[in-house]
Amino acid sequence: MDIAVIGSNMVDLISYIHRMPSEGETVEAPEFRMGCGGKGANQAVAASRLGAEVVMITRVGNDVFADTTLENFRKNGIDTTHVLRTDASSGVAPIFVDPESRNSILIIKGANAYLSPADVEDAREDIAKCKLIVLQLEIPLDTVYATIELGKVLGIPVLLNPAPVAPELDLERICGIEFFMPNESELELITGMPVDTLDDVGKATDVLLGAGITNIIVTLGSRGAMWAHAYGREIIKAPVVRAVDTTGAGDAFIGCFAKEWVDHGDVTAAIRAGNRYAADSVTRHGTQTSYALADGSLPAD
Ligand code: RIB
Ligand code: NA
């Protein structure tokens, strides 16, 4: 086993719109697509499509979306031993993508809100076989903290993607993690510092380094990523592409980064690979539907 993802799954309900309706207004939109999403599942699927062995610890609901999600994990070769059923709705994400490919995402956590520290403890034996633990913030914060503690006990490095941002995230309880991967707006909210320039971004990463996080990797969208660590910081640029849908690009980056880092331990190379993989994903519609296999092709079906 390579990677344990302890996180969310959602079904993405994506509307491609000309514009958002205002209050009381009805507006027609040209297109709708449904696909599997959720930040945890997206990262797990990206890593698995690239060849990593992934176990997912997550909760699905008691509705039709739960079966869709389980079937999707299986098709993508993800270990589903710890995919738990919950008497709640599954997580869903109504997403709106405008003609400039900008997205607005609503999430209804549903079953994801019930993923508990005890669920993680129950998966301890399988987590212990992994080389990296990957976390996001679509599950309860207590579960995130408990997983970080477990990672310490087991001696397994932890990657935390603080998305969607939780302003109450307690930096003291995440210190010691190996990788912290926010985007710019998450970084701004977590540190309370401006991120208007790359210099600002760098200064904000210093605060996190000071809080005891080993590597901060800030995803900068089409500009690539900044890697900050004890010995300095660098920007690793992304290839230029024509974006049609950027939904889930951050997750593509993280899933690919995780797989590459687990294989080779080279952070710069893993960021470069993540940049390429995420750039490729934005040239296609949807979240997981836009994630390629290791040979660059898309899965059949
Ligand atoms: O990061 C993109 C994801 O955020 C979507 O798949 C949606 O489900 C939300 O969780
Ligand atoms: Na995409």
Side-chain angles (χ1 to χ4, degrees), residues 7-258:
S8 62
N9 67 86
M10 310 256 168
V11 169
D12 289 349
L13 309 167
I14 312 181
S15 298
Y16 294 91
I17 63 170
H18 293 313
R19 65 174 178 87
M20 288 293 258
S22 46
E23 200 187 324
E25 188 188 26
T26 303
V27 168
E28 189 180 334
E31 201 187 341
F32 172 80
R33 294 188 199 202
M34 193 171 102
C36 288
K39 295 183 198 298
N42 290 348
Q43 295 170 19
V45 165
S48 181
R49 285 197 185 160
L50 291 169
E53 279 182 29
V54 182
V55 57
M56 177 98 207
I57 293 96
T58 193
R59 279 192 173 270
V60 294
N62 57 4
D63 46 22
V64 53
F65 293 143
D67 303 325
T68 309
T69 296
L70 258 168
E71 176 58 24
N72 181 59
F73 284 142
R74 290 201 189 100
K75 272 199 311 216
N76 281 286
I78 291 168
D79 187 317
T80 58
T81 313
H82 305 285
V83 178
L84 307 164
R85 294 251 182 194
T86 317
D87 200 13
S89 80
S90 289
V92 291
I95 299 176
F96 306 91
V97 180
D98 77 7
E100 261 81 75
S101 93
R102 291 175 299 219
N103 59 55
S104 310
I105 306 181
L106 259 175
I107 57 164
I108 294 96
K109 285 186 183 167
N112 293 295
Y114 295 87
L115 191 72
S116 70
D119 296 337
V120 177
E121 192 53 42
D122 287 344
R124 183 188 186 113
E125 254 178 58
D126 285 329
I127 296 172
K129 295 177 196 150
C130 293
K131 301 174 190 126
L132 179 68
I133 291 170
V134 176
L135 288 162
Q136 317 74 27
L137 299 182
E138 283 178 335
I139 56 170
L141 267 180
D142 278 341
T143 306
V144 170
Y145 298 143
T147 307
I148 290 172
E149 284 309 311
L150 181 63
K152 276 185 199 155
V153 171
L154 298 174
I156 301 174
V158 172
L159 182 167
L160 171 61
N161 166 222
V165 69
E168 69 274 30
L169 181 70
D170 184 349
L171 290 182
E172 270 173 32
R173 298 186 73 177
I174 67 167
C175 79
I177 63 170
E178 188 71 23
F179 297 108
F180 189 69
M181 294 202 184
N183 64 19
E184 288 153 283
S185 61
E186 288 151 6
L187 181 67
E188 178 175 29
L189 265 151
I190 287 162
T191 60
M193 292 171 70
V195 294
D196 299 326
T197 64
L198 287 177
D199 203 46
D200 291 343
V201 172
K203 285 185 186 134
T205 63
D206 284 343
V207 172
L208 298 172
L209 290 173
I213 298 167
T214 312
N215 297 286
I216 327 293
I217 297 168
V218 186
T219 51
L220 304 166
S222 59
R223 287 168 303 156
M226 179 188 287
W227 174 29
H229 48 86
Y231 307 102
R233 52 175 104 105
E234 58 196 275
I235 305 269
I236 296 143
K237 286 199 176 135
V240 179
V241 292
R242 208 188 134 264
V244 300
D245 186 352
T246 58
T247 318
D251 299 330
F253 176 91
I254 289 166
C256 177
F257 174 91

